[in-house]
């Protein structure tokens, strides 16, 4: 990905080393731009794994614990990483996930709606929220 000279140096520091010498992160830094395809080409399996969060079953309603592994796997909060992961999955895998999760959407939504307004969202609630967002992004969300 080619970057303009202005983006290769830190603002206000002509003697600063190029940003490209910094440790690589698949996420874009402030001032960088690139195409989604270029980002996905740099996205590694390791980046996807680091974006996943291990959930504590004691923080998940009992009726949703059976699909908790799906929330851990698919419920990635980073939009770009989630999209790259989704693109790498087969259509059959996406449909199997949707078939398993969709019967629980009303329960997930009710649980998320019970969260206090303005209160912090737990990792567990966030993973389920992003699981549902992923279903929506894949046009597979159904409330049964």
């Amino acid at each position: 990905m080619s970057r303009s000279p202005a983006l290769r140096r830190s603002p206000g520091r002509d003697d600063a080393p190029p940003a490209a010498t910094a440790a690589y992160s698949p996420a874009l830094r402030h001032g960088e731009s690139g195409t989604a395809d270029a980002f996905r080409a740099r996205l590694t399996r390791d980046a996807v794994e680091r974006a996943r969060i291990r959930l504590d079953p004691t923080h998940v309603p009992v009726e949703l614990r059976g699909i908790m592994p799906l929330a851990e796997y698919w419920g990635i909060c980073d939009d770009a990483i989630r999209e790259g992961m989704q693109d790498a999955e087969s259509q059959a895998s996406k449909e199997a996930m949707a078939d398993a999760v969709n019967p629980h959407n009303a329960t997930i939504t009710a649980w998320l709606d019970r969260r206090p307004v303005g209160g912090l969202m737990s990792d567990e609630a966030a993973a389920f929220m992003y699981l549902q967002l992923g279903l929506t992004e894949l046009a597979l969300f159904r409330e049964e």
Side-chain angles (χ1 to χ4, degrees), residues 11-36:
R13 298 266 332 256
D14 290 335
D15 60 337
T21 62
Y24 171 75
S25 168
L28 295 175
R29 290 181 286 278
H30 179 71
E32 289 186 317
S33 64
T35 66

Side-chain angles (χ1 to χ4, degrees), residues 53-142:
I53 299 171
R54 296 286 296 158
L55 305 181
D56 182 343
T58 65
H59 296 143
V60 175
V62 172
E63 58 271 22
L64 296 176
R65 290 181 188 167
I67 61 167
M68 203 172 78
L70 295 171
E72 287 178 330
Y73 187 85
W74 293 89
I76 294 173
C77 68
D78 185 289
D79 295 342
I81 293 176
R82 187 177 59 255
E83 181 183 344
M85 182 275 294
Q86 291 169 347
D87 289 347
E89 293 292 330
S90 70
Q91 188 61 31
S93 177
K94 295 172 193 177
E95 290 172 5
M97 178 270 295
D99 289 345
V101 174
N102 278 324
H104 301 279
N105 278 329
T107 304
I108 294 168
T109 301
W111 172 44
L112 296 176
D113 286 348
R114 286 191 304 267
R115 189 177 59 85
V117 175
L120 294 177
M121 182 177 276
S122 69
D123 289 344
E124 291 75 16
F128 277 87
M129 180 185 73
Y130 288 113
L131 173 64
Q132 285 188 314
L133 178 61
L135 282 170
T136 302
E137 293 166 340
L138 295 168
L140 294 172
F141 182 93
R142 292 182 315 277

